[in-house]
Amino acid sequence: MIRAVWFLILVALISLAAAVVADNPGAVSLEWLGYKVDTSIGVLLAVVFLISVCLAIVFRVWFYIRNAPKRVGKARRDWRRERGYKALTQGMVAIAAGDAQEARRQARKAENLLAEPPLTMLLSAQAAQMSGDDKAASKFFEKMSERKDTKYLGIHGMLNQAIQEGDKDVALDLAEQANDLNPKTDNVSKALFELQVQSGNWEEAEETVRKAVKDKHLDTDIGRRRRAVILYQRSAEAESNGKLSDALNFAKRANNLVPGFVPAAVRTSRLLQGAGKRRKAASVIEEIWVTNPHPQLVDVMEELSSGVGAQEKMRSVEKLASYNKDHEESHLAIAKSALVAEMWTEARQHLEAIAQTGSGDVPAARICRYMAELEEGENHDVEASREWLKKAAVAEPDSAWNCSHCSQVMAEWEPLCNHCESFDTLEWRTPPRVTRLASVDLETSNQGSASEEGAGETIDIEANSETNSETGPQPIERPDGGS
Ligand SMILES: [Zn+2]
């Protein structure tokens, strides 16, 4: 609208000027180089206008010709860049689709066409890695690590390679570098932590956990648990180095960080006992018994009353049980030490108490074995004892320390699984996927006395790699007619 108004004003002005010139033609006389021109002002203006237009056209053509090489160059660069980015995109698509050959082809193309090493190097490295050419990949990662803008990506790539190759020292060094460059990256701090614990750098690992909790990469409770496990290990190392007071200190801190953490309580109690503080040692066990009664705590309690008779030991176990007196483990603990003390009535009373609360047709293997022992000890009834042992063979097996990652069963709890080296994966539970072989031959095995170690049956524990920590105890698989 405004343009139209301006145009009208312009037309009006030109018309006005033309009218003024037409009304006042005037006279112009030029004399130059022997030529003489007489004309009106209107003609002069028209000639000046035409000359200006011609000059403008000439200049335009001249500029066009002069800039032609530049324009051709730019067009060529644009074309290369367009094709380069297309190759880069197609390479990324190939990576996502898992087509290594196509990814490498596109990476080479992008490398030739584009002058942007960070992007093309990353694609080339990934393509090389995908096609199994680790050497080429590490070359790209190294190159990337030398540039400021791609340093982190390069180190991260080299770190993943070192982890895959199992080169822990190199991996640890790279993880530290990556973590320094980008301290708030979750997966690097995770990798760093794992490498630190696997290489035994427990103090540094504790610091990594603290940082991860602070940066909110790690849940506070998980952080506490990890620190408790680390402190447990530091305590064990201090003890083996003869630094008993440090060992006790670490164990106490682990025990305070996570209430109900049985290995830390056991360790603290044993160290207190070693330091001559028997009452304190017992109170640590009694305290955890309230929330987490565990068979290994009974062993510690019995150690605390070593040197005294079986009946006195039984009294101290009874006292421990009184802190959680209706729990199955409390009854079992008393029954076990009553059997040792040959206090048959008490043993029977507590085993029957569990039978009343227990679920399922067959009581747990431990209970069956205790019953077998009781029948033989109290009534000298070998037949009844044998029946109980048969039941023990098909009962749910005793809980043990099981790795939730590789299903390895370990006698003692350790911070790292001694099979797969996973951190804090040992759980107290029924071994997963227990398959009994049909060769359970109770008739031929020696049943003279039932012992804590088992009833002489052959048990084959199959590791089930698919088991994860969340699934808990697995159902028992029994072959048909296996019992
Ligand atoms: Zn394991």
Side-chain angles (χ1 to χ4, degrees), residues 402-410 416-423 425-426:
N402 266 247
C403 175
S404 60
H405 186 246
C406 71
S407 296
Q408 173 84 357
V409 177
M410 284 169 66
L416 293 179
C417 168
N418 65 8
H419 183 246
C420 69
E421 290 201 322
S422 298
F423 176 78
T425 46
L426 294 187

Side-chain angles (χ1 to χ4, degrees), residues 193 196-197 199-211 227 230-231 233-234 237 243 250 253:
F193 173 75
Q196 281 169 331
V197 295
S199 55
N201 295 357
W202 297 99
E203 208 174 329
E204 290 89 335
E206 196 185 346
E207 194 48 41
T208 305
V209 173
R210 275 181 202 274
K211 264 193 206 160
R227 280 179 52 215
I230 291 170
L231 287 164
Q233 180 61 26
R234 291 184 71 188
E237 285 178 4
K243 295 175 180 168
F250 288 137
R253 277 170 61 197

Side-chain angles (χ1 to χ4, degrees), residues 355-371:
Q356 277 165 15
T357 56
S359 55
D361 305 330
V362 184
R366 266 189 306 168
I367 302 173
C368 296
R369 287 203 308 277
Y370 291 163
M371 282 306 293

